[in-house]
Amino acid sequence: MTGMAGVFTYRNNELYCDQVPARRIAEAVGTPAYVYSGRRIAARYLDFDRALGNYPHLVCYSVKANSNLSVLRLLARRKAGFDIVSGGELFRVLEAGGKASRVVFSGVGKTSEEMDYALRSRIFLFNCESESELRLLSERAVRLKVRARVALRVNPRVGAKTHPYIATGREEHKFGVDMAAAEDLCLRAQQWPGIRLAGLSCHIGSQIAALAPFAEAVGKLVSLARRLQRKKVPLEYLDAGGGLAVAYRGEDRPPSIHDYGKKLLQCVRGSGLKLLVEPGRSIVADAGILLTRVLHIKTTGGKKFIVVDAAMNDLLRPSLYGAYHEIRPVLRNRRREVVADLVGPVCETGDFFAQNRKLPAAEAGDLLATFTVGAYGSVLSSNYNSRPRPAEVLVEGRRWRIARRRETLRDLIRGESLP
Ligand code: LLP
């Protein structure tokens, strides 16, 4: 069953995460709660590593998808690299025991402070997105008496079919340097004292369910790298970004990690370039569920609403992208289904997890699970409506532990002061 990823299964009509009954976790830590399968996350990371075989490569997990320390540690232990977009993410990676020498720093707006922090930590690679950024980085590095290894992020002008908010590879997007301008910029930037131009990078978007756009983008980067190498720019790395889609619905059939890897290798083989990838969603998405308890059932205006204790502040994807997440009961004890909206307590009409959907005919007190929320779930949560953020739990086989405790009321006002 999709979204179940082989780790979420029903035994005697009760939902398990690996060997642990979801109900037991909900009873112990309360709801809402995110629950992750450590086994699944590790397996997906290893799938990427294996898919690139013995071709020189580094799989840099994109921290933004799920930055919980326990998730990062689990990957660091398996020698993963990390793709970060802020000083905060670098801090998390280092706290979790990740190696700076396997960190790539992406993002269109790095500050001098973030650059200094990353330079002092001796990260592996900066993915730079503009001339202005390259100049600043060179300056900061000279000041710190170091040299930054840099890949220029180019915009390969590849349109990939995905939600408009998460498409990044077209000319109208803010990301990267134009293909046309990249060559000249590389030739000039090569002379700057604080940086060493060592590669090219791209990222064409997220939740991309076809392989052709990846191949097109990487193909363009390889040709550009060849032109630059002929002009004596010694490029060593090609970073293909992230973006591989996952299955949110039963009928979704995204390409496998294996086929994705094979496709990338076809494009880079013979180029002499080492390959980096930055997968986020495809490593963690289907390893996570959000447990929530039904508070009330109400009918108004002829419409049925199931009101649960999780809301858009806990899981924003349905509200922000109109994203679809499967919803299943934790105890499969009611056979009936109803068409209803599943909504949270937040005071916004946009606070919904499902609209006009056939859902388990739940009653107040029932537990429900929202699937495929391991990526861009907890990380997008907020305290809106002064709601403490949910607990996060990591399951490893038959054991589980709290990876982040539920926030308290005190946490809500931390840092605030009265005159
Ligand atoms: N590398 C770069 C430079 C990125 O900007 C991203 C994602 C990734 C890697 C990882 O992409 P992934 O493998 O996860 O697709 N909040 C949105 C997704 C935003 C993605 C932003 N960039 C969502 O919930 O769908």
Side-chain angles (χ1 to χ4, degrees):
M1 217 190 269
T2 189
M4 307 288 281
V7 290
F8 298 104
T9 51
Y10 283 97
R11 299 187 199 169
N12 298 322
N13 287 324
E14 176 163 5
L15 180 67
Y16 277 65
C17 175
D18 284 334
Q19 320 294 329
V20 183
R23 179 176 47 102
R24 211 156 57 191
I25 295 173
E27 280 164 4
V29 306
T31 51
Y34 279 96
V35 179
Y36 310 125
S37 161
R39 223 179 54 189
R40 179 68 179 172
I41 296 171
R44 297 287 282 181
Y45 162 73
L46 291 171
D47 280 351
F48 272 100
D49 197 40
R50 232 174 279 130
L52 300 180
N54 48 21
Y55 190 87
H57 69 268
L58 183 61
V59 178
C60 296
Y61 166 66
S62 193
V63 173
K64 65 171 81 68
N66 186 326
S67 54
N68 186 287
L69 286 185
S70 298
V71 170
L72 300 181
R73 162 140 318 166
L74 182 161
L75 292 167
R77 286 220 175 107
R78 286 164 179 83
K79 305 243 181 314
F82 295 95
D83 161 50
I84 60 163
V85 289
S86 69
E89 287 189 348
L90 176 54
F91 177 66
R92 282 182 173 277
V93 167
L94 298 177
E95 282 291 302
K99 289 250 188 322
S101 58
R102 291 203 192 89
V103 167
V104 306
F105 193 171
S106 306
V108 68
K110 304 173 189 76
T111 65
S112 329
E113 291 76 21
E114 288 176 318
M115 287 177 180
D116 288 358
Y117 179 28
L119 286 167
R120 283 205 190 91
S121 308
R122 311 270 163 155
I123 66 160
F124 174 59
L125 186 69
F126 289 81
N127 284 340
C128 291
E129 305 209 11
S130 64
E131 174 157 0
S132 150
E133 185 193 343
L134 281 172
R135 279 194 192 283
L136 180 62
L137 181 62
S138 178
E139 242 174 71
R140 304 307 300 188
V142 167
R143 198 177 298 215
L144 294 176
K145 300 194 171 52
V146 292
R147 199 145 196 207
R149 198 182 290 110
V150 168
L152 187 69
R153 176 163 171 187
V154 296
N155 184 335
R157 300 199 175 196
V158 174
K161 218 179 105 209
T162 184
H163 190 282
Y165 286 10
I166 53 178
T168 49
R170 290 215 101 116
E171 51 275 32
E172 70 263 30
H173 296 136
K174 72 178 173 186
F175 301 98
V177 172
D178 250 343
M179 281 298 268
E183 194 169 329
D184 170 64
L185 180 56
C186 283
L187 291 171
R188 284 184 296 122
Q190 202 198 355
Q191 322 287 337
W192 301 346
I195 61 181
R196 186 164 83 68
L197 201 71
L200 297 175
S201 72
C202 69
H203 170 76
I204 54 173
S206 200
Q207 186 57 12
I208 296 170
L211 293 180
F214 293 113
E216 194 186 334
V218 171
K220 286 182 173 182
L221 257 61
V222 169
S223 329
L224 176 58
R226 288 226 165 92
R227 286 203 296 280
L228 283 160
Q229 281 162 336
R230 277 198 294 273
K231 294 186 178 166
K232 301 277 177 287
V233 185
L235 297 182
E236 280 177 73
Y237 305 98
L238 189 150
D239 183 341
L244 184 62
V246 301
Y248 283 103
R249 299 175 190 254
E251 62 271 28
D252 290 349
R253 290 284 175 274
S256 68
I257 292 174
H258 175 82
D259 290 347
Y260 168 80
K262 214 164 93 179
K263 185 60 105 188
L264 293 191
L265 290 183
Q266 280 168 11
C267 302
V268 294
R269 237 182 245 296
S271 69
L273 296 163
K274 301 186 182 89
L275 181 63
L276 278 72
V277 288
E278 304 171 347
R281 187 191 316 263
S282 47
I283 289 184
V284 287
D286 67 15
I289 57 174
L290 177 65
L291 298 177
T292 178
R293 205 176 275 282
V294 176
L295 297 175
H296 309 287
I297 308 289
K298 65 180 276 186
T299 306
T300 141
K303 232 174 126 170
K304 192 160 182 141
F305 292 92
I306 301 175
V307 186
V308 293
D309 64 1
M312 65 187 288
N313 73 293
D314 305 304
L315 174 66
L316 187 59
R317 301 194 76 256
S319 308
L320 188 59
Y321 312 113
Y324 179 96
H325 289 270
E326 295 219 4
I327 291 148
R328 296 200 183 86
V330 168
L331 295 180
R332 237 173 6 192
N333 49 1
R334 306 181 206 288
R335 293 271 162 248
R336 245 167 20 89
E337 290 190 309
V338 287
V339 174
D341 282 19
L342 191 80
V343 302
V346 161
C347 305
E348 301 247 5
T349 306
D351 179 29
F352 59 81
F353 291 148
Q355 289 180 302
N356 279 317
R357 194 179 316 166
K358 215 188 260 176
L359 295 164
E363 287 176 13
D366 284 1
L367 285 169
L368 298 175
T370 303
F371 280 76
T372 330
V373 298
Y376 308 112
S378 166
V379 286
L380 281 171
S381 67
S382 76
N383 290 124
Y384 187 40
N385 278 207
S386 285
R387 291 168 49 85
R389 267 178 270 234
E392 292 176 75
V393 165
L394 185 70
V395 174
E396 287 183 283
R398 46 185 81 254
R399 294 205 308 227
W400 65 272
R401 54 178 198 82
I402 296 176
R404 183 185 192 181
R405 65 161 171 77
R406 180 180 311 288
E407 282 181 339
T408 63
L409 296 181
R410 279 279 140 207
D411 290 331
L412 288 179
I413 55 171
R414 196 180 46 183
E416 291 182 39
S417 53
L418 290 166

